[in-house]
Amino acid sequence: MTVIDEKVLTRFTTEALVSAGARQDDAELTAEVLVSADLAGVDSHGVARLRRYVEGLRRGTISGTARPEIVREQGGVTVVDAHNGLGQPALCFALDLAVERAAEHGVSAVAVRRSNHIGIAGWYAERAARAGAFALVTTNATPQVAPTGAAEPMFGTDPVSYAVPTSGEPLCYDAATSIVPRGKLERLHREGRPMRAGWAVGPDGETATDIPKVVEGLKAREGYALLPVGGLGEEFGGHKGSGIGLLAELLCGPLTGASWSRHTYGGQGGDLGQFVLCVDLRALGDPEAIAGRVGAMADEIRGARRADAEVPVRLPGDRRRRSAAERRAHGIPLLPPVLADLAEIAALTGLEPIGPAPTGTAPVAPAGASA
């Protein structure tokens, strides 16, 4: 791996997006979200995704000049049209609006339509938690997951994230509603590691384990599909994972006015949907007391008797936070295929290729992906 300093990677990502046609403020925010994923060890949603944004901006399939617009309001419910702009600025606009409206109404919901890929969903939920609110964030995507009983992809990987303030760092859950996201398969392929049986099926409905075939089949929509949390059928609860995926599809598709995953990325651009639910803690009681109770609960769970004495009890966000601390100190490790991608982006946009971090920094192994 080549280790890159966080600031260097953020600057390059920002400049690449601006060179491709994004506004400076949108580019800076998008870069922050992408690099935050790499810091957290969620490499599948970091700068490995930058090329899709740069190419979309250059081709005009993503608008670099769009501004999210409120198109409907009633009480604490708001609908936002992203006008096919970058997903990160659109969802950040929606998230901040949800926090503001929740402060007024106690609870709020903001739906986004005509949006694009948002990166790591937990970044937005944590932003709300740091502002003193509980938030739930979800998005749809391209069709990649076969609902229980289906022999073709219909749902997206549809991550669901929630975060709540505590007496310390926010408690933040962030995970796909499929067993694995496609990005994890891409990362495993870059690392030369195999995928497990039971994660995906081929057009014949049988388990598929050839990563290049699965990834290309998903991209080309050739009948390959990931499986929902719980796996194939109902024996291990696959129908439950499928039901949570359906919830995300409803909130981000028909209820939002966006396309649901099977119909995203048509002639009108991405048309992804996102949904934010926000509760101001002041509507529930004393915010500091609530955060303290959540913190005490988290500490008690972490202190539970371990199933394996060598493996700590882990709550959502613990591993990502540990990875971020290590990578801020030592740099972000990038695999050769990702570095090669960034070099091609530099050539496309007229930028200088990025180089490794100063001598003496040590690579930090990926912490794993969650969404």
Side-chain angles (χ1 to χ4, degrees), residues 176-190:
T177 53
S178 57
I179 293 182
V180 291
R182 192 183 78 196
K184 180 169 183 176
L185 299 186
E186 293 169 340
R187 179 168 61 82
L188 290 175
H189 184 47
R190 289 193 295 267

Side-chain angles (χ1 to χ4, degrees), residues 343-359:
E344 290 185 20
I345 290 170
L348 281 173
T349 56
L351 300 176
E352 285 291 323
I354 57 176
T359 304

Side-chain angles (χ1 to χ4, degrees), residues 70-160:
I70 296 173
V71 294
R72 185 177 179 87
E73 288 184 279
Q74 183 173 330
V77 180
T78 308
V79 179
V80 171
D81 191 325
H83 294 299
N84 197 35
L86 286 162
Q88 286 84 351
L91 186 52
C92 192
F93 174 85
L95 189 283
D96 291 348
L97 186 62
V99 171
E100 179 185 319
R101 294 291 192 266
E104 298 173 11
H105 302 281
V107 62
S108 69
V110 180
V112 184
R113 59 195 186 203
R114 296 181 65 197
S115 186
N116 279 286
H117 189 262
I118 61 164
I120 182 172
W123 185 91
Y124 308 90
E126 277 205 11
R127 183 181 178 96
R130 295 186 191 282
F134 166 85
L136 183 145
V137 177
T138 186
T139 180
N140 59 18
T142 54
Q144 298 178 71
V145 180
T148 299
E152 61 177 316
M154 304 286 280
F155 295 167
T157 51
D158 298 349
V160 173

Side-chain angles (χ1 to χ4, degrees), residues 69-309:
E69 176 189 11
I70 296 173
V71 294
R72 185 177 179 87
E73 288 184 279
Q74 183 173 330
V77 180
T78 308
V79 179
V80 171
D81 191 325
H83 294 299
N84 197 35
L86 286 162
Q88 286 84 351
L91 186 52
C92 192
F93 174 85
L95 189 283
D96 291 348
L97 186 62
V99 171
E100 179 185 319
R101 294 291 192 266
E104 298 173 11
H105 302 281
V107 62
S108 69
V110 180
V112 184
R113 59 195 186 203
R114 296 181 65 197
S115 186
N116 279 286
H117 189 262
I118 61 164
I120 182 172
W123 185 91
Y124 308 90
E126 277 205 11
R127 183 181 178 96
R130 295 186 191 282
F134 166 85
L136 183 145
V137 177
T138 186
T139 180
N140 59 18
T142 54
Q144 298 178 71
V145 180
T148 299
E152 61 177 316
M154 304 286 280
F155 295 167
T157 51
D158 298 349
V160 173
S161 178
Y162 61 80
V164 62
T166 76
S167 49
E169 289 294 308
L171 178 64
C172 179
Y173 171 87
D174 181 10
T177 53
S178 57
I179 293 182
V180 291
R182 192 183 78 196
K184 180 169 183 176
L185 299 186
E186 293 169 340
R187 179 168 61 82
L188 290 175
H189 184 47
R190 289 193 295 267
E191 295 171 358
R193 297 162 59 195
M195 64 180 286
R196 294 187 179 182
W199 286 358
V201 292
D204 57 1
E206 299 295 324
T207 291
T209 57
D210 186 320
I211 291 184
K213 283 187 178 180
V214 172
V215 170
E216 289 307 313
L218 289 169
K219 288 180 179 178
R221 303 192 183 186
E222 294 175 343
Y224 285 83
L226 300 172
L227 292 173
V229 170
L232 189 66
E234 300 184 11
E235 184 177 1
F236 295 103
H239 60 299
K240 299 177 183 179
S242 184
I244 299 172
L246 176 60
L247 172 65
E249 291 292 345
L250 290 168
L251 291 174
C252 300
L255 294 178
T256 302
S259 298
W260 64 284
S261 290
R262 195 181 185 208
H263 302 283
T264 54
Y265 289 100
Q268 301 301 313
D271 197 25
L272 268 66
Q274 284 102 34
F275 189 88
V276 179
L277 176 68
C278 201
V279 181
D280 191 298
L281 294 194
R282 290 172 297 184
L284 299 172
D286 176 42
E288 289 189 8
I290 294 171
R293 291 197 296 269
V294 175
M297 175 185 177
D299 289 342
E300 190 172 345
I301 294 170
R302 290 189 182 99
R305 183 167 53 87
R306 298 181 180 184
D308 182 333

